[in-house]
Amino acid sequence: MTSDPLAPLDLAFWNIESAAHPMHLGALGVFETRSPSAAAHAADLLAGRAAAVPGLRMRIKDTWQPRPLAPLAFGGAARESDPDFDPRAHVLLHAPTADFHADAGRLMQRLLERARPPWEAHVLPGADGARFAVLFKFHHALADGLRALTLAAALLDPLDVPAPRRRPAPPPAVRSLPELVRGALADVGRALDIGASVAVSGLGVRSSAALTSEATGTRRTAGVVIDLDDVHRVRKTAGGTVNDVLIAVVAGALRRWLDERGDGSDGVAPRALIPVSRRRPRTAHPQGNRLSGYVMRLPVHDPDPLGRPGTVRAAMDRNKDAGPHRGAGAVALLADHVPPLAHRLGGPLVGQAARLWFDILVTSVPLPGVGLLLGGHPVTAVFPFAPLARGQSLAVAVSTYRGNVHYGLVADAAAVPDLDRLAAALTEEMAALRTACGS
């Protein structure tokens, strides 16, 4: 049986997981239907199609035997096809529900089964009979956001199919010994720079206790839909990119939420980690996580709605000028230089260190430009969910689908019992930005 060794960052995600901190990604897709049997039919379709997707058969197995060509792989893990794969064990049909997010929160807090392929699809019939939802869960060691999207999309149908684009295969990269030495020295310099940046990032500006907590293992989710045309109107006035505006909306919503809670937003500028994909086509680890990131201070303290996008834009420009290999956000790159056994032994300690590095995750998850169907029923909304790091109460993921922006919020249910109020604050902040722009 052939196997694919986990890339270093995948191995890190596999080893930092604990009962209170599941390390899976999620996406809640909502479907329109007029058939009371649509959810059951969707579950049958998903199970039938999963059997034909090789990536969904992959389980993760420990590798304790060193190999002649890779002695440092001792203590690592690899993906391999599960000979006992049963897709019906991964596709679960639930009782009707009136609140998709309430069910999604409870399901997101449950660990995936590590002895079998680490993914699940939960089909949630709507109590009104007019909708159903599917919550996909993929372990971060099995797939990053791009890979999870590919696996989930393989189970769905495209509403319209764009013409395929062909691109030439890149020539293989061959590095000489001097290049390897220079690369190693550059890696040392980057590691020192990253370490210093992590230390500096925690100085000088107040965060908020509302964004950090001791783990309870509970989860709550919420979703918000915003018109992409409104985001473009704000971007044309405030400048920057669509992503800058979406991050600024998060900052403004946090300000409203903290003030409403009585926690106060004066002087608060939490450190946000903005992941950056380093994935390239036809890499050596096509399924592996290849991530860096930018760390920036969210301008929660700024009372000016149009001032916040400008601050975000300036911070993101500085990060982009430095590149994804420098600064505190590039901590994930250090995983490439740690032996597998050290990942296994040090995983719990690494997980504990996340709160020293950033306060909140704000990540963008790409979705296809085409509409999606399942059994003839169209997807009307897709809410992405990111895992919570140890010691943190909230993670925000954003996707654009069919002319709308979808915010997916995941929170520790005990630390953030009022997550719905934060979701409402996102809508209110977008309305305030539209007003400030005169639209």
Side-chain angles (χ1 to χ4, degrees):
M1 181 182 296
T2 60
S3 63
D4 174 29
L6 293 190
L9 191 53
D10 299 339
L11 188 59
F13 286 135
W14 189 245
N15 286 310
I16 65 176
E17 182 172 64
S18 67
H21 288 281
M23 289 304 299
H24 49 253
L25 310 166
L28 182 69
V30 180
F31 298 78
E32 278 187 350
T33 180
R34 295 180 180 176
S35 169
S37 61
H41 179 53
D44 289 338
L45 278 177
L46 290 171
R49 293 176 178 182
V53 180
L56 296 178
R57 293 176 169 270
M58 304 302 286
R59 63 182 177 180
I60 295 176
K61 296 285 288 183
D62 294 332
T63 55
W64 288 103
Q65 296 296 324
R67 300 187 300 275
L69 297 180
L72 292 181
F74 181 77
R79 299 181 192 85
E80 65 177 26
S81 183
D82 183 355
D84 301 318
F85 175 63
D86 177 8
R88 292 193 174 276
H90 297 260
V91 180
L92 307 171
L93 178 64
H94 294 259
T97 178
D99 188 340
F100 293 140
H101 280 288
D103 283 41
R106 289 189 290 269
L107 293 169
M108 283 295 290
Q109 71 192 34
R110 289 177 13 186
L111 289 169
L112 290 165
E113 176 60 57
R114 290 169 70 96
R116 65 187 188 190
W119 69 273
E120 292 173 349
H122 296 270
V123 182
L124 309 172
D128 59 5
R131 300 179 304 160
F132 69 89
V134 179
L135 174 68
F136 291 101
K137 293 168 55 178
F138 294 95
H139 198 286
H140 220 327
L142 178 71
D144 62 6
L146 290 171
R147 177 66 177 168
L149 167 65
T150 301
L151 292 173
L155 302 177
L156 304 177
D157 301 308
L159 184 61
D160 40 54
V161 182
R165 293 184 301 172
R166 296 183 179 274
R167 59 179 68 181
V174 179
R175 300 177 67 193
S176 65
L177 182 59
E179 288 176 317
L180 292 172
V181 172
R182 286 196 297 271
L185 292 175
D187 287 345
V188 172
R190 279 197 293 268
L192 294 173
D193 180 76
I194 291 167
S197 297
V198 170
V200 170
S201 73
L203 301 177
V205 185
R206 190 166 71 90
S207 183
S208 171
L211 300 179
T212 57
S213 68
E214 294 303 319
T216 69
T218 59
R219 293 293 180 269
R220 186 183 302 273
T221 74
V224 176
V225 180
I226 290 174
D227 192 323
L228 183 59
D229 286 342
D230 289 339
V231 177
H232 281 296
R233 292 186 188 101
V234 174
R235 179 188 60 80
K236 289 176 182 177
T237 300
T241 67
V242 165
N243 199 47
D244 295 342
V245 174
L246 297 178
I247 294 171
V249 169
V250 173
L254 287 172
R255 176 182 176 85
R256 293 169 181 275
W257 178 63
L258 291 174
D259 286 344
E260 184 177 297
R261 275 179 146 224
D263 292 336
S265 58
D266 291 343
V268 173
R271 296 163 299 173
L273 173 63
I274 316 295
V276 177
S277 176
R278 297 168 53 241
R279 174 80 71 90
R280 293 293 182 270
R282 302 180 178 87
T283 57
H285 296 281
Q287 301 182 56
N289 282 278
R290 303 291 295 170
L291 293 173
S292 182
Y294 299 142
V295 170
M296 60 168 293
R297 291 282 185 176
L298 292 179
V300 173
H301 60 285
D302 188 345
D304 179 11
L306 284 181
R308 290 189 286 267
T311 301
V312 169
R313 176 187 181 184
M316 289 298 286
D317 285 347
R318 288 193 297 271
N319 275 310
K320 292 171 185 176
D321 287 343
H325 293 83
R326 294 283 181 181
V331 164
L333 299 181
L334 300 182
D336 292 345
H337 308 288
V338 178
L341 186 60
H343 275 295
R344 184 179 297 276
L345 298 178
L349 294 176
V350 172
Q352 301 255 10
R355 71 177 69 194
L356 303 177
W357 173 24
F358 64 98
D359 304 305
I360 182 174
L361 176 73
V362 182
T363 183
S364 178
V365 181
L367 292 179
V370 300
L372 297 172
L373 302 167
L374 180 58
H377 307 290
V379 177
T380 59
V382 183
F383 301 102
F385 300 134
L388 278 183
R390 186 181 298 272
Q392 294 168 349
S393 304
L394 178 68
V396 180
V398 192
S399 286
T400 300
Y401 177 74
R402 306 295 281 181
N404 286 316
V405 174
H406 295 78
Y407 283 95
L409 309 179
V410 175
D412 184 288
V416 188
D418 56 344
L419 186 64
D420 288 344
R421 277 306 309 148
L422 177 57
L426 286 166
T427 302
E428 293 162 4
E429 178 64 16
M430 192 66 241
L433 283 168
R434 286 199 312 268
T435 301
C437 294
S439 62

